[in-house]
Amino acid sequence: MHRTSLRSFGFLLFAASFAAAPFAGAQVTINLTTTQQTNCTAVTDAQGLSLVPGSTNLAATGVTLTGAGCGAAPSDFAAAISGVPSTIVAGTPFNVTWSAAAAATQCVFGGSTGLTNWPTGTVACTGAACAGSHPVNGVTVPAAGNYSMSVTCTNSTGYAQGGGTATAPQQPPQPANFALTPSANPATINIPFSVSWNVTGATSCTGTASLDGSSVNLPGWTDVTTTASPRTVTASVAGGYTLGMTCSNAQGSVSSAPLALTVTGDTGGCPAGRQTTADVCYSYGLGSSCAAGADVTQFTSIWGRNAAGGPMIAFPGYQEFAVFKNLDKTKYIAAKIDVPLTGLDPVMSGIITHGETYPGPALTVAISPTCGDFSPTTSICLTTGTTGGQIAGKWKLPTATQTNGCVITPGQSYYINIKATNPAQTSSDCSGNICKVTVQSNHTP
């Protein structure tokens, strides 16, 4: 039997015999011989006995003492915990109260580690300050699991311990309708920007975004599922966005409150006010062959097809008209052209016509390598104030025989920029700022 002299847990321990060598994480039984000359058995888990900070006394963290020799406490010596709920929610605060009798000279927090506002292993009080009730507010547990809380109080004759246990079952993430917070004023935000949130218990968070009412992909927001906050977001198009997020785990999901913001900064060369979607029709009846919410940032998705849902072909596209059923007079359309490097007839040229059916307001059309540019350096690339039936723009390849037209070079990108010349102009094709406008694309050969 190995015998050693130990400092007492509130009293002197003369000897101890170890029933088993302590393995990490194992339960160990320690037989103690005390001043009362009777047996005291300590059963300890992996946390075991530890010195109270600043003291030579031992703290009973995860320790159960049994036997008459463990110290005969006076009848008025007590410690207790009240208010520990049997079921708790990870991340949701709850309040408890611990109390000690006047005979206590020191009390120590015990139980599970990792709890907020419950510092297991530290001194809760010394001397006269221990007597009475002590509320502890805002205790939280970090995750689902079983948790214990205790307070162990000592004096020169012995110890008293009070405790409670609680279970935190797996819950859906919390809270519902959580807030999304941008890094800048949401009315005038530049890129890149960040968005933060606060949700507990989630294993994935999925972002959604819409631009001017239509769903879009937003790099850094809709293409990742990490729960880490914040996320850095980059918008390629200026305009009004609405962001949302859904955070989930195996038990369910919660959704955020929507976040509306306006991107006005540098978005890849496109200034603010770009209209990115519209209902585009390929029939003057406007009741059929209409592509609702079409992407009007690309030439191909406008004049690269001749029917809603039809196959798209690359520039120069079809010989086709398109009715913008809901062009916004206060914004502009910039339809990007990716001119193929090869495969075009070297004498090809084309025209953009302001259609007579549903002409809407007078239009300004510019062909430019820059998005939203209505002041091109070459005057032939700009047409202002066209009305129904007039040519709104001309283009040609560098080797085309046509004598005039805005030159576009194979292998490079350009924009057909379209806007109302005078947003205040009224038209029978308009309702407020929303107008029906016909624009036709033709090319030869």
Side-chain angles (χ1 to χ4, degrees):
M1 176 184 297
H2 175 69
R3 304 182 64 85
T4 186
S5 177
L6 299 175
R7 185 66 169 167
S8 76
F9 181 73
F11 48 91
L12 288 179
L13 307 178
F14 286 157
S17 63
F18 294 85
F23 292 98
Q27 188 179 77
V28 177
T29 299
I30 307 173
N31 296 315
L32 307 173
T33 301
T34 70
T35 53
Q36 287 86 355
Q37 299 296 309
T38 55
N39 185 63
C40 176
T41 301
V43 179
T44 173
D45 63 10
Q47 297 176 79
L49 296 169
S50 60
L51 284 175
V52 174
S55 170
T56 57
N57 288 338
L58 295 172
T61 303
V63 175
T64 302
L65 300 176
T66 58
C70 292
S75 59
D76 63 346
F77 185 28
I81 287 181
S82 61
V84 181
S86 59
T87 301
I88 52 182
V89 176
T92 300
F94 59 94
N95 303 329
V96 299
T97 299
W98 66 270
S99 60
T105 58
Q106 180 171 268
C107 296
V108 177
F109 291 108
S112 301
T113 59
L115 281 68
T116 302
N117 290 340
W118 191 265
T120 294
T122 65
V123 176
C125 65
T126 57
C130 293
S133 296
H134 306 271
V136 180
N137 298 327
V139 179
T140 62
V141 300
N146 297 318
Y147 296 88
S148 63
M149 301 175 67
S150 65
V151 171
T152 301
C153 298
T154 63
N155 64 14
S156 60
T157 64
Y159 77 97
Q161 187 177 62
T165 61
T167 300
Q170 183 75 37
Q171 299 282 339
Q174 301 289 329
N177 203 39
F178 57 92
L180 301 176
T181 305
S183 58
N185 182 349
T188 55
I189 202 164
N190 292 319
I191 64 165
F193 60 93
S194 65
V195 178
S196 59
W197 67 94
N198 187 11
V199 171
T200 60
T203 55
S204 68
C205 290
T206 302
T208 60
S210 64
L211 174 60
D212 297 330
S214 298
S215 295
V216 294
N217 292 322
L218 198 56
W221 186 255
T222 59
D223 55 355
V224 292
T225 58
T226 175
T227 61
S229 170
R231 290 182 186 175
T232 299
V233 184
T234 302
S236 60
V237 176
Y241 288 83
T242 300
L243 272 57
M245 176 175 281
T246 299
C247 292
S248 308
N249 64 18
Q251 302 302 313
S253 62
V254 291
S255 296
S256 71
L259 169 63
L261 50 85
T262 300
V263 174
T264 60
D266 178 11
T267 56
C270 294
R274 186 186 189 189
Q275 182 173 347
T276 59
T277 60
D279 297 336
V280 180
C281 298
Y282 302 92
S283 167
Y284 288 125
L286 303 187
S288 62
S289 196
C290 291
D295 176 11
V296 293
T297 67
Q298 303 293 322
F299 178 97
T300 305
S301 58
I302 302 173
W303 298 286
R305 57 184 170 184
N306 58 9
M312 295 185 188
I313 62 174
F315 177 83
Y318 288 95
Q319 311 273 4
E320 187 57 58
F321 72 88
V323 180
F324 297 93
K325 191 176 178 181
N326 47 4
L327 180 139
D328 190 332
K329 288 193 299 181
T330 66
K331 297 183 177 182
Y332 70 92
I333 288 175
K336 186 179 181 183
I337 299 172
D338 294 313
V339 184
L341 183 62
T342 60
L344 298 178
D345 191 307
V347 297
M348 181 174 287
S349 63
I351 61 172
I352 305 297
T353 304
H354 188 166
E356 295 179 278
T357 306
Y358 306 119
L363 296 179
T364 293
V365 176
I367 300 174
S368 171
T370 302
C371 178
D373 175 21
F374 290 95
S375 300
T377 56
T378 304
S379 59
I380 193 64
C381 297
L382 175 66
T383 307
T384 301
T386 66
T387 58
Q390 294 183 325
I391 293 176
K394 296 180 179 181
W395 59 266
K396 68 172 187 174
L397 297 183
T399 52
T401 57
Q402 182 176 318
T403 57
N404 60 2
C406 185
V407 177
I408 60 174
T409 303
Q412 298 188 18
S413 295
Y414 299 85
Y415 292 88
I416 297 181
N417 297 310
I418 304 171
K419 70 175 182 178
T421 302
N422 179 10
Q425 178 187 349
T426 59
S427 168
S428 60
D429 295 318
C430 300
S431 176
N433 291 328
I434 304 303
C435 304
K436 293 186 282 289
V437 177
T438 303
V439 180
Q440 184 165 331
S441 176
N442 291 93
H443 59 85
T444 184

